[in-house]
Amino acid sequence: MARNMHQAFAGATLVGETQDRRQRFSLLLLNLEEYYFEQHTANHVQHKGSRYERKIRGSLKICSKSVIFEPDAISQPIIKIPLRDCIKIGKHGENGANRHFTKAVSGGISLIFSQVYFIKEHNIVAPYKIERGTMEYVFELDVSGKVEDVVETLLQLHRASCLDKLGDQTAMITAILQSRLARTSFDKNRFQSVSEKLHMECKAEMVTPLVTNPGHVCITDTNLYFQPLNGYPKPMVQITLHDVRRIYKRRHGLMPLGLEVFCTEDDPCSDVYLKFYERQDRDDLYFYIATYLEHHVAERTAEGCTLQWQRGLLSNYQYLLHLNTLADRSCNDLSQYPVFPWVVGDYSSSELDLSNPGTFRDLSKPVGALNKERLERLLTRYREMPEPKFMYGSHYSSPGYVLFYLVRIAPEYMLCLQNGRFDNADRMFNSIAETWKNCLDGATDFKELIPEFYGDDVSFLVNSLKLDLGKRQGGQMVDDVELPPWARSPEDFLQKSRDALESDYVSEHLHEWIDLVFGCKQKGRNAVGAHNVFHPLTYEGGVNLNSIEDPDEKVAMLTQILEFGQTPKQLFVTPHPRRITPKFKSLSQPSSYSASTADSPVSPGEESFEDLTEESRTLAWSNITRLRPHEQHKIHKEAVTGIAVSRSGSSVFTTSQDSTLKMFSKESKMLQRSISFSNMALSSCLLLPGDATVVSSSWDNNVYFYSIAFGRRQDTLMGHDDAVSKICWHDNRLYSASWDSTVKVWSGVPAEMPGSRRHQFDLLAELEHDVGVDTISLNAASTLLVSGTKEGTVTIWDLTAAAILHQIPCHSGTVCDTAFSPGAFSGMEIRFWPGVSLVSCLSGTSSGGRSGRESRATQVP
């Protein structure tokens, strides 16, 4: 993973006296669903007017439900005064809080209240200290002329906080927020360039774990901007559209209002998560970004990821991350944090035996069904329950469970969620074995794991911040997480957990767990049969918030949804396929290069590289040894599968298993374009005559035509039932090989019309094979075609008659490439290579015999 997922929390977890004062304040000091509006430089005046008067310099922050004062000196605690606990608010020295104020020389604001919180004294993250009793605090603003406006704002927010009904409070605060947003607009002086053209502007909130921050979204022809209403944590968030790699529409609070933007290919942490007030605004912004990016970004599909996982191109860990992302799980939303399974069921042995099936948890059952006795009790209650029924009263993923695991790296989030307190020391994440046992035996504990358990950062297991997390009943302090006996260290624990996740057993059974969480057993009759039924509010579509008219009921419902946890969006409605696990051949089986001469597919009368004269062989090798690398550029993340060079030599086009077609300029030595047609690997590419169109084959069964001049996909040929492995072109004909065991010949786009768009491809011939075809090649006249298959067979076809001329079982493995020689022999010569590079094919060959996998030359009379 490019970044550790919990780095999304880094901005708020700051401990130590060396931290800058401005970093002490965080939106996590606010209550859930509270907004931070504005700040003013001020002094907290203690003992005002007495001989002991003292002024503490700092910043006064006005929030929708509280007043927060952050002193400059980190030795002083941050002060938080809930507005609902205020008795009087007004100018200092005046009686009452509701008087019509007149301008005064003094810039003092008086707050009389019954309760105050003290937070992060000496910048140490710890439970909040609470002081109760009637008190008066005075704050003097630097700009005394703002006192009246601030007092009026505080009185308005105080009235909202004191309303009896929670729904009325929320409605009034929302109205205040919308009024502030309506009175402001995006500051266009913040544009990166004066030439930028504004496309749209709207109101939205930036979502981070547990908090949202309102502001203005603006999109231009080159940039996406978010400007917070309060200017926190910085005045502007800016993302260059050219850098965007993925965009996803999101549910937030079960409402289709979210949009998440990623500037990386595989990082689970996004660059910005926005929640809009209007669905149309979200959809318009999404459409504009998608249109701008065209084919530079392809939103992944669950089916495409499944194929990659089945074929071993994605690890179990990567696949689960992709499924979480597709199912609306985000590390910015703790109610929808990525969920991973417990896979190990043995936390007591001294050694972890991954070859023993008994080591693993039963992935076909939800956590709640792993203990048969507990399940029987739950089913008895379920049968007696009125509709709507559910088996489990708590979810397997919720904000509380996520922070249970991450409290050591995200303590401020735990304090925010639990009103300034850590959980009871005996209920903390103290031990892996204890946590697993409680998940098996606990009456209400059915939680799964989070991705960090299979990552490479041990921080969440170690109390490196030296937090005071309390003392357990036995007298021991809560410190590092206790590891199972088979783990020598936190690093060893994570490594062995990763090994378990990628083990053969889990690879063979992971589809069963996917059925429960993302698939066909997530809800409905199949979920009942799998004992996998949770509270209706956790499911997408389980409640329509817009249909609830009572504001109190709606707020209570939304709070319950956000705090209880949410079931992922259902991705599959049919049983998930198994992973294709490789079956390795016996090592005692003779390989092609060690077989006897009698068994060799090269007959005694045919020539091979070793049959060349010593003079010819010396000349060939001497030419090869003169080759030197001229330039090297890494432009793909995975294996390069195809290369095409323009006739001028100025542009190089490449395809890769990373699913991209890229255009590289030899002159500027820069990447000029990066195109994704789907999220599946591309297998080959070629340039049509005229260098105006690039054709690429893909593992998604399609062939794509890309117009270089217009910078867009020109057409798509959907002509195969499995991955297209190789394409060739000659004389307006396209030849496509596929894992569906066919090679097909198509009529193509006329060379003199490179910009035209065809809507029909004519199939001229179909060359059938017994197994999947991995490569093809044409002779110069395009009268002959040679194909190589997965089973090592090479077949030579007469294209004029669409008939087989020769079929040669040459290799024990896949034939990766073939080529006709330009007529070096009197007959016809074909060269073909097994699954290694040409360099390694040639190296180590001597007249004494073959010393590794090698190229072979077969001359056909």
Side-chain angles (χ1 to χ4, degrees):
M1 190 162 32
R3 289 182 291 178
N4 294 309
M5 192 171 300
H6 64 242
Q7 284 184 346
F9 299 104
T13 307
L14 300 166
V15 180
E17 295 190 7
T18 59
Q19 299 294 347
D20 185 85
R21 177 199 64 80
R22 290 171 297 176
Q23 295 177 315
R24 283 211 298 163
F25 173 76
S26 161
L27 295 180
L28 294 169
L29 300 183
L30 280 59
N31 295 343
L32 296 176
E33 302 299 313
E34 182 177 8
Y35 298 107
Y36 165 37
F37 286 143
E38 62 190 54
Q39 71 167 354
H40 303 274
T41 305
N43 290 314
H44 174 207
V45 185
Q46 297 178 337
H47 310 293
K48 176 75 171 176
S50 74
R51 56 185 291 191
Y52 302 107
E53 181 175 305
R54 179 190 177 197
K55 295 184 178 181
I56 299 174
R57 188 77 171 156
S59 173
L60 187 68
K61 303 176 190 299
I62 311 302
C63 307
S64 58
K65 298 179 181 180
S66 62
V67 177
I68 295 175
F69 180 75
E70 180 188 17
D72 289 351
I74 62 172
S75 60
Q76 296 291 324
I78 294 173
I79 297 168
K80 178 179 178 180
I81 304 170
L83 287 172
R84 68 174 182 273
D85 294 326
C86 287
I87 301 168
K88 289 183 179 180
I89 300 173
K91 288 185 178 181
H92 178 66
E94 293 189 347
N95 295 323
N98 299 314
R99 182 188 294 255
H100 177 72
F101 301 112
T102 58
K103 287 187 178 181
V105 176
S106 170
I109 298 173
S110 170
L111 300 177
I112 301 175
F113 50 86
S114 59
Q115 181 171 266
V116 62
Y117 295 90
F118 299 104
I119 307 168
K120 296 179 77 171
E121 188 173 5
H122 295 288
N123 209 17
I124 295 174
V125 177
Y128 302 170
K129 296 178 181 178
I130 305 175
E131 186 175 327
R132 294 183 176 90
T134 302
M135 294 162 273
E136 180 181 14
Y137 278 13
V138 177
F139 300 97
E140 288 185 351
L141 304 188
D142 278 12
V143 182
S144 58
K146 291 186 176 180
V147 170
E148 187 169 336
D149 290 338
V150 172
V151 169
E152 289 291 349
T153 297
L154 290 174
L155 289 172
Q156 187 182 33
L157 293 170
H158 178 253
R159 286 195 295 272
S161 297
C162 293
L163 292 173
D164 292 334
K165 294 185 176 181
L166 187 60
D168 292 340
Q169 291 181 28
T170 301
M172 185 170 178
I173 290 173
T174 299
I176 294 170
L177 170 63
Q178 292 300 321
S179 174
R180 283 175 168 261
L181 288 170
R183 294 197 305 269
T184 57
S185 62
F186 183 86
D187 181 5
K188 296 173 182 60
N189 292 322
R190 297 280 184 178
F191 281 175
Q192 295 292 302
S193 170
V194 293
S195 61
E196 283 187 68
K197 296 180 180 178
L198 174 66
H199 179 74
M200 69 172 287
E201 179 183 346
C202 62
K203 298 174 289 185
E205 295 178 11
M206 188 166 72
V207 178
T208 53
L210 294 184
V211 295
T212 60
N213 201 15
H216 296 275
V217 171
C218 181
I219 190 164
T220 70
D221 54 344
T222 56
N223 290 291
L224 170 66
Y225 297 97
F226 176 76
Q227 185 175 24
L229 182 66
N230 49 36
Y232 177 87
K234 54 185 179 180
M236 185 75 63
V237 175
Q238 178 254 330
I239 292 176
T240 303
L241 294 182
H242 181 74
D243 292 337
V244 175
R245 291 293 172 267
R246 293 178 288 144
I247 51 175
Y248 297 97
K249 293 180 180 179
R250 292 291 189 221
R251 291 179 302 160
H252 189 272
L254 296 185
M255 299 288 285
L257 299 173
L259 181 71
E260 198 161 18
V261 180
F262 295 79
C263 293
T264 55
E265 297 286 355
D266 299 309
D267 196 329
C269 296
S270 65
D271 290 82
V272 67
Y273 186 142
L274 298 172
K275 183 189 82 171
F276 295 79
Y277 299 110
E278 301 292 338
R279 181 174 182 175
Q280 190 62 50
D281 287 339
R282 190 276 306 269
D283 292 345
D284 288 347
L285 192 71
Y286 175 89
F287 177 78
Y288 182 78
I289 296 176
T291 302
Y292 175 87
L293 295 170
E294 291 185 338
H295 303 300
H296 291 267
V297 170
E299 205 168 338
R300 288 186 173 95
T301 63
E303 292 77 10
C305 289
T306 301
L307 285 172
Q308 289 183 305
W309 171 72
Q310 278 189 286
R311 292 166 177 164
L313 296 175
L314 291 177
S315 67
N316 293 338
Y317 176 82
Q318 291 170 322
Y319 185 47
L320 290 175
L321 276 183
H322 286 315
L323 292 185
N324 273 282
T325 298
L326 292 167
D328 284 343
R329 314 300 284 188
S330 168
C331 57
N332 282 311
D333 184 352
L334 296 190
S335 65
Q336 299 188 91
Y337 200 76
V339 57
F340 270 56
W342 289 92
V343 296
V344 174
D346 178 5
Y347 295 99
S348 59
S349 299
S350 58
E351 296 293 332
L352 187 66
D353 183 4
L354 297 183
S355 64
N356 179 11
T359 297
F360 298 92
R361 164 255 182 107
D362 186 347
L363 290 167
S364 68
K365 299 177 181 178
V367 169
L370 293 176
N371 182 324
K372 190 176 293 186
E373 293 180 4
R374 180 179 64 177
L375 178 62
E376 284 302 320
R377 293 195 298 269
L378 293 170
L379 289 178
T380 300
R381 187 190 67 172
Y382 173 76
R383 296 185 191 103
E384 298 171 352
M385 186 182 295
E387 294 291 343
K389 295 184 176 185
F390 54 89
M391 296 177 186
Y392 309 114
S394 63
H395 205 253
Y396 51 77
S397 176
S398 69
Y401 287 159
V402 173
L403 295 177
F404 168 84
Y405 291 126
L406 297 181
V407 64
R408 289 167 177 81
I409 61 167
E412 289 189 76
Y413 289 84
M414 177 70 82
L415 294 173
C416 176
L417 187 68
Q418 301 201 151
N419 299 314
R421 299 185 301 272
F422 290 131
D423 204 351
N424 179 279
D426 287 294
R427 291 197 299 267
M428 297 285 276
F429 180 33
N430 293 302
S431 161
I432 303 290
E434 281 183 15
T435 302
W436 169 244
K437 185 178 185 302
N438 202 53
C439 289
L440 287 181
D441 302 335
T444 60
D445 192 349
F446 315 110
K447 59 178 171 286
E448 292 279 9
L449 296 181
I450 56 177
E452 280 76 1
F453 278 82
Y454 305 103
D456 53 14
D457 193 316
V458 301
S459 301
F460 76 104
L461 298 171
V462 181
N463 187 16
S464 57
L465 300 178
K466 303 303 178 187
L467 300 168
D468 182 358
L469 299 173
K471 183 181 292 186
R472 304 188 67 181
Q473 287 184 357
Q476 67 270 37
M477 297 296 294
V478 176
D479 197 28
D480 297 346
V481 177
E482 182 182 339
L483 303 175
W486 47 257
R488 296 187 300 273
S489 65
E491 291 80 6
D492 187 52
F493 171 75
L494 291 189
Q495 181 61 58
K496 287 177 178 173
S497 296
R498 288 195 297 272
D499 292 343
L501 181 64
E502 304 300 337
S503 66
D504 289 343
Y505 178 89
V506 174
S507 293
E508 292 168 2
H509 294 275
L510 187 59
H511 65 283
E512 298 171 332
W513 185 83
I514 293 171
D515 282 339
L516 297 170
V517 176
F518 302 104
C520 63
K521 296 180 181 179
Q522 185 197 84
K523 53 188 175 183
R525 185 180 303 171
N526 290 336
V528 175
H531 305 134
N532 193 40
V533 182
F534 294 86
H535 195 284
L537 283 181
T538 69
Y539 294 95
E540 183 178 24
V543 62
N544 182 3
L545 289 176
N546 290 327
S547 66
I548 301 175
E549 296 182 357
D550 187 326
D552 285 343
E553 183 183 351
K554 179 180 287 190
V555 170
M557 192 77 71
L558 181 60
T559 301
Q560 186 174 354
I561 289 169
L562 293 176
E563 295 185 0
F564 189 83
Q566 297 175 47
T567 300
K569 182 169 67 176
Q570 189 175 23
L571 299 178
F572 309 100
V573 294
T574 57
H576 193 281
R578 293 172 176 265
R579 193 173 197 185
I580 301 171
T581 52
K583 303 298 181 183
F584 295 102
K585 298 181 180 179
S586 171
L587 293 176
S588 61
Q589 179 180 342
S591 59
S592 61
Y593 57 81
S594 62
S596 66
T597 304
D599 296 330
S600 173
V602 182
S603 61
E606 295 172 343
E607 293 183 299
S608 69
F609 187 86
E610 285 84 1
D611 297 323
L612 298 178
T613 65
E614 185 68 29
E615 181 182 359
S616 299
R617 192 161 57 244
T618 301
L619 178 61
W621 282 118
S622 64
N623 287 335
I624 289 177
T625 57
R626 293 195 188 103
L627 293 175
R628 295 288 184 272
H630 179 58
E631 293 176 7
Q632 192 171 29
H633 303 278
K634 181 172 175 59
I635 59 175
H636 287 285
K637 293 186 176 181
E638 296 183 30
V640 176
T641 56
I643 301 174
V645 183
S646 63
R647 283 190 298 177
S648 65
S650 61
S651 297
V652 179
F653 297 84
T654 57
T655 51
S656 168
Q657 287 185 2
D658 65 10
S659 80
T660 61
L661 165 67
K662 299 199 175 185
M663 177 180 174
F664 184 82
S665 171
K666 185 180 176 183
E667 296 172 351
S668 66
K669 295 180 173 53
M670 292 180 62
L671 186 64
Q672 292 185 319
R673 296 187 194 178
S674 179
I675 307 101
S676 287
F677 303 112
S678 75
N679 63 309
M680 296 293 286
L682 297 179
S683 54
S684 66
C685 66
L686 57 85
L687 273 166
L688 294 188
D691 288 356
T693 301
V694 185
V695 188
S696 301
S697 56
S698 174
W699 285 8
D700 68 1
N701 310 353
N702 298 328
V703 178
Y704 296 98
F705 293 75
Y706 178 80
S707 171
I708 301 169
F710 293 97
R712 62 172 180 261
R713 184 170 61 191
Q714 185 174 307
D715 215 335
T716 303
L717 170 60
M718 296 177 284
H720 285 279
D721 298 323
D722 206 337
V724 183
S725 54
K726 185 71 180 289
I727 51 175
C728 296
W729 178 274
H730 186 270
D731 195 21
N732 294 337
R733 289 188 178 182
L734 177 71
Y735 302 81
S736 59
S738 171
W739 294 352
D740 65 7
S741 306
T742 66
V743 174
K744 295 184 179 181
V745 185
W746 310 84
S747 63
V749 181
E752 66 271 13
M753 299 175 61
S756 64
R757 178 183 176 91
R758 288 181 58 87
H759 300 282
Q760 180 178 353
F761 294 89
D762 297 323
L763 180 62
L764 303 179
E766 185 170 337
L767 313 179
E768 295 187 356
H769 296 66
D770 294 330
V771 294
V773 183
D774 264 77
T775 186
I776 54 174
S777 181
L778 299 170
N779 69 343
S782 290
T783 55
L784 300 173
L785 179 144
V786 59
S787 59
T789 69
K790 289 183 174 297
E791 293 187 351
T793 300
V794 168
T795 306
I796 303 159
W797 297 80
D798 178 358
L799 291 177
T800 59
I804 296 176
L805 290 178
H806 302 278
Q807 197 164 52
I808 313 161
C810 299
H811 295 283
S812 60
T814 299
V815 179
C816 293
D817 209 352
T818 61
F820 286 90
S821 74
F825 296 90
S826 56
M828 176 187 66
E829 184 184 80
I830 307 111
R831 291 188 179 272
F832 36 90
W833 292 270
V836 288
S837 69
L838 179 56
V839 174
S840 61
C841 291
L842 294 173
S843 64
T845 307
S846 67
S847 58
R850 300 179 176 92
S851 60
R853 290 194 176 184
E854 77 289 349
S855 64
R856 294 189 178 155
T858 300
Q859 190 173 11
V860 182

